[in-house]
Structures are given as structure tokens and as C-alpha cells.
Amino acid sequence: DDNTAILAINNEYCNYELMFAHQGKQMTAEDVNKAQAAQGVSVLTLHKQTDGWRFTKDGKYNRRINANTPMMISGPAKGHALLKTSADPKGERVLGTFNNCANGMTPWGTYLTCEENVNGYFGSTSQVEVTPAQARYGIGAEDAGWQWHTFDERFDLAKHPNECNRFGWVVEIDPKDPSSTPIKRTALGRFKHENAELVIDKDGHAVVYLGDDERGEHLYRFVSKGKYSPNDMAANRDLLDKGTL
């Protein structure tokens, strides 16, 4: 109805100096769990009041999507050897999203959130072999100070070297369905995503413009193989899985 709105917003990162009394200098497993829960995406239900739009605490669309929310992997990288882990031997499902920068909207009503500086959450106290591809995006034994790998082995590169490959994607979320599973659309590429601006071209293809926020990198354009169906929203749901990047 005209008095209800949905707000989807990124929770990009934490400020440990404000979040914890110890300012991140004495992190515990519980603190890391809190930090993981604080990042990701918030979907909020708003209702129009006499003094403007206000958040509804028990709104039916309310949802938190964080670093441990189950997600599906779709598109060309689904099942790739570099996405397989001991927890996900098929390379088809992943836990969470974080360091979400900028966004995008689709004409079929979904929200695109962009994983940006994900390298800073991975590290190791052990010696790790860093590949050129990992080094290009700043992945190595030293993290950015988040300390997740110290208390959650999923982020320890020595124990789970492929986990870092499962981040750096664009995630599609359906804000209108709180029970829906977010999907990492790998056809849109893996890099430090800054934004995903989607338009429909004159021929009906979905075109997404994407920025890589790593220094010295590039801008990308994705053109869907299929065409947008304005009269059948359900038919557009997998439009971002096939195309040319």
C-alpha cells in the first residue's frame, strides 16, 4: 500500500573503537561473532506517519543478512574448483556477505549488494602461499585488523584457502520475501565491487555497469543473454546468471 515502504541498506563494516570498550585490542570469539552479525545488509519496514516515514520494529519485511547467512552461488562460477571447501564440497553454497559497498536495484524488485574490500577479513598465523591473483587484491597472511581468522577458522587462509574466493561478488536479495535465500551472481564478476547500476537497453537486455575499487583496476559492463520481461517478473529472476562481462 502507499503507506508502506521497504528500505534495504548496507552495513559495510564495523568501527571497533566505538563498538567495544577495549576498542578491538582484546577481541574474543564472542566479539568476532558480534562483528560478523553487525555487517551485511538490513532490510527495514517503513510506515508513513504524520511526521514522515518511520521504522516499524515488528514489520513483516524486517531482516538482517550478515556474515553467516546461508546463500546460494549461481552463474558460471558455481561448482568451480576454486569455490569448493570442506564445508561446501560442491562449491554451491556459502555463508554470508560483508564489506558491502554501494548497491543496485533491478526493475524486477530485487536489491543488489556489492562485496568490496573482503580481503581484509582473511589472514593466518601460519605461513601461507599467496597466489598472484590473491596478491593482486591484497589477500595474505596479514588481515586488516578485524581478527576474524583468529577466532573463526573459516577465515584462516592456511586452513581454508578457497574460502576467500567465495567473496567479492554481487549478491541479489529479494527484500519482499524475508524467507528467500540471497544469491551470489557470479556472472557479474569477482573483484572489489563498488556499485551495480542496472538499466534495460533498447533491445530489452539487462545491462549492469560495475566498478572495481581496487587501485589501478577497471570498470565493467555486463549484458544479459536473455531479455527483460516487463509483464512477467518471475521470468527475470535468473537474468543475471548468463551474459557477457
Side-chain angles (χ1 to χ4, degrees):
D1 62 78
D2 292 341
N3 294 316
T4 303
I6 303 173
L7 173 66
I9 187 169
N10 293 330
N11 312 118
E12 187 172 356
Y13 60 89
C14 304
N15 187 327
Y16 283 179
E17 293 182 354
L18 301 177
M19 195 169 181
F20 303 112
H22 55 67
Q23 299 185 324
K25 298 174 183 176
Q26 297 171 307
M27 293 292 286
T28 65
E30 182 181 3
D31 292 338
V32 167
N33 189 48
K34 288 179 180 178
Q36 291 176 345
Q39 295 198 37
V41 176
S42 293
V43 180
L44 310 174
T45 306
L46 306 180
H47 282 105
K48 197 171 187 179
Q49 310 292 341
T50 54
D51 58 346
W53 293 94
R54 292 290 179 264
F55 169 58
T56 303
K57 193 172 184 180
D58 58 350
K60 68 177 182 178
Y61 301 111
N62 293 352
R63 184 181 187 187
R64 281 284 298 121
I65 297 164
N66 59 41
N68 288 293
T69 300
M71 303 190 173
M72 293 189 292
I73 299 171
S74 73
K78 178 182 178 180
H80 193 281
L82 289 173
L83 294 186
K84 295 178 180 179
T85 65
S86 57
D88 176 32
K90 292 184 177 181
E92 297 179 352
R93 296 184 71 83
V94 62
L95 291 180
T97 185
F98 45 83
N99 211 271
N100 306 79
C101 195
N103 61 343
M105 284 181 63
T106 71
W108 50 93
T110 58
Y111 179 75
L112 303 176
T113 185
C114 303
E115 298 176 341
E116 190 190 7
N117 296 308
V118 297
N119 59 295
Y121 298 81
F122 296 90
S124 184
T125 54
S126 304
Q127 187 172 357
V128 293
E129 293 287 335
V130 178
T131 68
Q134 290 173 326
R136 179 176 178 176
Y137 280 93
I139 293 171
E142 186 175 350
D143 74 350
W146 301 116
Q147 305 171 57
W148 288 12
H149 70 279
T150 307
F151 299 97
D152 185 346
E153 73 165 45
R154 181 159 69 101
F155 297 90
D156 189 325
L157 290 170
K159 296 179 179 178
H160 303 282
N162 278 355
E163 187 68 23
C164 62
N165 301 330
R166 293 146 67 84
F167 299 88
W169 306 100
V170 173
V171 184
E172 186 170 10
I173 296 167
D174 185 354
K176 294 182 180 178
D177 183 3
S179 66
S180 62
T181 301
I183 303 173
K184 298 202 176 190
R185 300 290 185 186
T186 65
L188 298 179
R190 178 179 176 270
F191 43 86
K192 292 187 177 180
H193 285 278
E194 176 66 35
N195 196 38
E197 185 64 27
L198 192 153
V199 295
I200 304 298
D201 71 11
K202 61 181 178 9
D203 296 320
H205 297 280
V207 182
V208 189
Y209 293 91
L210 307 141
D212 183 349
D213 220 23
E214 175 63 31
R215 290 181 183 178
E217 293 297 336
H218 308 281
L219 298 175
Y220 294 88
R221 179 179 65 187
F222 169 86
V223 182
S224 67
K225 180 180 180 181
K227 294 184 178 182
Y228 172 62
S229 300
N231 299 318
D232 185 1
M233 290 299 114
N236 302 307
R237 284 311 173 98
D238 295 321
L239 200 58
L240 300 182
D241 271 350
K242 293 181 180 180
T244 301
L245 182 66

